[in-house]
Amino acid sequence: MKNSWLRLRVAATVTALSLGTAGLAVAAAPAAQAADTAGALVAKLPITSFGALVVDSAHQRVYLSDDRRTAGTGAVQVYDFAGEKVTTLATDNVPSTLALSSDGSTLEVGQTSGLISFDTATYARTGRIYGGYDVYCPRDAAFAGGRVWYTEATTTSDCDNRPYHLYGTSDGRAVTTGWNAPGRLRLFGAPQTPDRLIMAQPRSTTVTDPFLTVFDASGATLVRNAERRFADSTGQGGLDVRDVAQSADGSLIAVADARTGTRLLRADDLADAATGYQPLPTGAVASAVAFSRDGKYVARGAAATGPTADLVVQAADPADATPPLEFAFEGELDGNKVVPRGLAWSEDGSRLFAVTNGGSGAEYWLHVIQPPAAQYDTRFAGALSTSAAQPVVGEPLGIRGRLEIDGPAPARPVKVTAVRHDAGGDRTLAAAEVDTDGTFTVLDVPSVVGTATYTVSFTGDLTHRPTENVSLRTEVAKAPTSIALSAPAEGTKGVGLRITGTLTAQGRALPASLTLSVVRTDKRGTNALTSASVAADGTFTVDDVPGTNGEVVYEVGYAGDDVHGASTATATIRVRKPV
């Protein structure tokens, strides 16, 4: 999860958070925990795409499938509730979907050639159903009416637009239902409504007003009940379903709609519920939804950036105004978003399992979350400031600020992160710990002259919500240079004299093989002399033979470069006539 401080981000292991009146409880987990995390674990999944997630509470197992549309054998990944990988279930072809029977005893795995049944207690294969077609287009499956239902396409390509057919099963064989529609049809069942099967049509280039429908699977024939399309008379508002979930009592259906957020519907007629959920945070696109089986909570997953929450956990009753728990995922250690259909609860409601995606786009993480009893607000107090009145290239710079944190003090120091934006692009800076008084200093060494904008973020932790970013714009100057000269007070006309000096600079090291301009001014005028070469240690020598008596002024100058400023120094020598 975010580092255990959680904007929810971590490294290769699994997350554990807990919902209880006693506050945060962390499940013991042997999986390696990231050094900077506290009470948060995340498992890096050995998959390159995501198909399905189901949770077997009776045996405390989490099953995950890949969604590769390729030939060859595959496997279902099996984890326990502590985030440890337990085993894999070998499949004959690549698995794309999973369905758990209402009693938790059977796991159905949809693969390219059909379905495989596994005993969840022994992992033994207990059955196989061959589909009519062996194609790469993924299947979907769900239990309802005491049997498994699945979908099937008849081709391998353009899966999102091809017709899909709905099949039932009986006595180990596939049974056609006659129901079909364009697009990769999605199926949803739930043990609290064992005879209800929900089917959702995905949005695609050929389907702009998809349907959502409910079937009664209690009898020998699948009977369609409520059905709804969501576009208005102008064709706007069509559904873009990413996930569907049923409330604990079965009276409500929640739909994660990528276009409108979380839709809350009455199960009997699919009309909008009298009271809906508040919108997801601005910029968050709905991707997943799951109700806890104890009826207390609903989890809503999303794809968002920065400190915007990717996961909201709140009271399942939309009329309950208790502030939600918000979590944001970001970075190489936890992924950047909750994947579609990537949320599931344990039966007792104590754990929420979330699958995130990020990195190269083909990387996935499993978070096992036991949310705290409450989360508290945070905010940046006042404006940011810099440690130096004039930031310069190549010199350390501190970006200072203060973070206010409500609620109990964190068990470990929280951290803020920062990004510098300048003419060279964006650079993520090292995270900075927040002191007990809320102050922090983010360290940087500016590398480009000109305007630099520093944006500081706090992405939250298990008990503290993310807060709005704060920014500071500053001008970065060239690093100053200086020249020191050592010259004799007097000289003699026609006799050689020597001036020595040193060139020094702040910031980056000066380039090698520098030369300095040398100008001599006397009563005859001003003349440029041979330039002086600078040694590696910054020293140089100027040799001259003055041609006139009187006051002679020598000026030595450095023109500067892209990151160093110019500088000059003068030495005045009284030149006398020869005796």
Side-chain angles (χ1 to χ4, degrees):
M1 284 182 198
K2 184 170 168 134
N3 47 20
S4 120
W5 297 114
L6 216 67
R7 189 234 139 122
L8 284 177
R9 307 180 181 201
V10 217
T13 58
V14 198
T15 306
L17 354 171
S18 130
L19 278 168
T21 55
L24 175 65
V26 179
Q33 187 173 342
D36 63 346
T37 67
L41 299 173
V42 176
K44 187 69 178 290
L45 296 171
I47 57 177
T48 56
S49 63
F50 174 73
L53 161 72
V54 298
V55 174
D56 173 13
S57 292
H59 303 100
Q60 294 200 349
R61 294 293 182 261
V62 181
Y63 299 94
L64 303 110
S65 68
D66 208 327
D67 191 20
R68 292 179 293 115
R69 302 180 185 184
T70 58
T73 59
V76 176
Q77 308 297 322
V78 186
Y79 286 78
D80 64 18
F81 277 20
E84 290 287 349
K85 185 173 179 178
V86 176
T87 188
T88 57
L89 305 181
T91 57
D92 304 318
N93 319 118
V94 174
S96 58
T97 188
L98 305 172
L100 190 68
S101 61
S102 297
D103 62 4
S105 64
T106 301
L107 177 72
E108 293 288 350
V109 180
Q111 57 179 9
T112 59
S113 61
L115 299 179
I116 304 175
S117 304
F118 289 91
D119 185 305
T120 56
T122 64
Y123 304 134
R125 288 195 186 196
T126 58
R128 175 164 184 174
I129 296 175
Y130 288 91
Y133 297 87
D134 187 347
V135 294
Y136 295 157
C137 284
R139 301 176 186 278
D140 215 42
F143 269 94
R147 50 191 156 160
V148 66
W149 306 82
Y150 71 92
T151 62
E152 181 174 273
T154 59
T155 185
T156 291
S157 61
D158 196 21
C159 302
D160 293 333
N161 293 303
R162 298 291 188 179
Y164 265 75
H165 298 262
L166 175 62
Y167 289 86
T169 57
S170 178
D171 297 327
R173 296 184 178 184
V175 177
T176 183
T177 67
W179 295 101
N180 65 88
R184 184 183 175 184
L185 299 175
R186 296 293 195 165
L187 304 179
F188 304 89
Q192 65 268 34
T193 54
D195 293 329
R196 180 186 294 163
L197 178 68
I198 300 174
M199 185 165 70
Q201 184 182 36
R203 191 180 186 91
S204 67
T205 55
T206 59
V207 180
T208 58
D209 188 16
F211 64 75
L212 181 72
T213 189
V214 177
F215 291 97
D216 180 355
S218 61
T221 302
L222 196 63
V223 178
R224 199 207 80 194
N225 290 330
E227 180 268 344
R228 182 179 175 185
R229 297 178 189 267
F230 292 77
D232 59 22
S233 59
T234 66
Q236 302 300 309
L239 191 67
D240 191 356
V241 64
R242 300 302 168 90
D243 199 3
V244 173
Q246 301 182 60
S247 62
D249 64 1
S251 64
L252 297 173
I253 294 174
V255 180
D257 183 353
R259 289 180 170 251
T260 62
T262 309
R263 294 180 181 267
L264 192 60
L265 312 174
R266 298 197 306 249
D268 56 353
D269 59 4
L270 297 183
D272 292 343
T275 303
Y277 294 122
Q278 79 277 20
L280 289 167
T282 302
V285 177
S287 61
V289 62
F291 288 97
S292 64
R293 290 280 301 279
D294 59 6
K296 295 180 179 179
Y297 302 100
V298 62
R300 300 192 287 157
T305 59
T308 302
D310 301 283
L311 175 61
V312 175
V313 180
Q314 64 187 83
D317 180 358
D320 189 328
T322 302
L325 307 181
E326 295 184 354
F327 305 100
F329 300 90
E330 193 72 23
E332 300 83 357
L333 298 180
D334 338 67
N336 302 321
K337 58 191 175 186
V338 177
V339 300
R341 304 180 77 173
L343 293 176
W345 290 88
S346 61
E347 186 172 0
D348 62 2
S350 66
R351 288 175 175 82
L352 172 65
F353 301 89
V355 176
T356 58
N357 167 242
S360 66
E363 298 179 70
Y364 293 83
W365 292 258
L366 171 65
H367 301 255
V368 184
I369 305 170
Q370 294 175 272
Q375 272 189 327
Y376 300 92
D377 290 332
T378 62
R379 71 201 64 81
F380 288 108
L384 299 175
S385 63
T386 57
S387 58
Q390 175 58 72
V392 299
V393 171
E395 282 287 294
L397 177 68
I399 310 300
R400 296 170 172 167
R402 189 164 69 87
L403 178 69
E404 292 182 346
I405 299 177
D406 294 344
R412 290 180 55 180
V414 300
K415 293 182 179 182
V416 297
T417 58
V419 174
R420 180 190 72 218
H421 175 78
D422 56 24
D426 290 341
R427 180 179 178 82
T428 300
L429 307 180
E433 282 192 358
V434 178
D435 209 342
T436 54
D437 63 356
T439 59
F440 59 84
T441 301
V442 177
L443 298 179
D444 184 33
V445 179
S447 59
V448 177
V449 174
T451 301
T453 300
Y454 291 89
T455 300
V456 180
S457 305
F458 175 62
T459 51
D461 59 30
L462 295 184
T463 55
H464 297 98
R465 295 186 183 90
T467 191
E468 185 176 351
N469 293 346
V470 62
S471 296
L472 169 69
R473 178 173 174 169
T474 188
E475 295 298 320
V476 178
K478 291 183 177 182
T481 61
S482 63
I483 299 173
L485 299 177
S486 177
E490 295 184 344
T492 302
K493 177 182 176 181
V495 178
L497 58 81
R498 170 167 287 184
I499 300 171
T500 59
T502 304
L503 171 66
T504 58
Q506 294 182 27
R508 298 179 186 172
L510 290 165
S513 304
L514 283 179
T515 58
L516 306 179
S517 64
V518 182
V519 176
R520 180 186 67 202
T521 300
D522 54 26
K523 61 185 179 182
R524 292 180 179 177
T526 300
N527 296 282
L529 304 182
T530 302
S531 56
S533 297
V534 181
D537 62 356
T539 59
F540 59 87
T541 300
V542 176
D543 291 313
D544 187 37
V545 178
T548 183
N549 60 302
E551 188 176 85
V552 180
V553 178
Y554 293 88
E555 182 181 270
V556 180
Y558 170 55
D561 57 24
D562 290 344
V563 295
H564 294 101
S567 59
T568 60
T570 60
T572 302
I573 302 175
R574 171 65 62 180
V575 178
R576 300 184 183 278
K577 294 179 180 180
V579 177

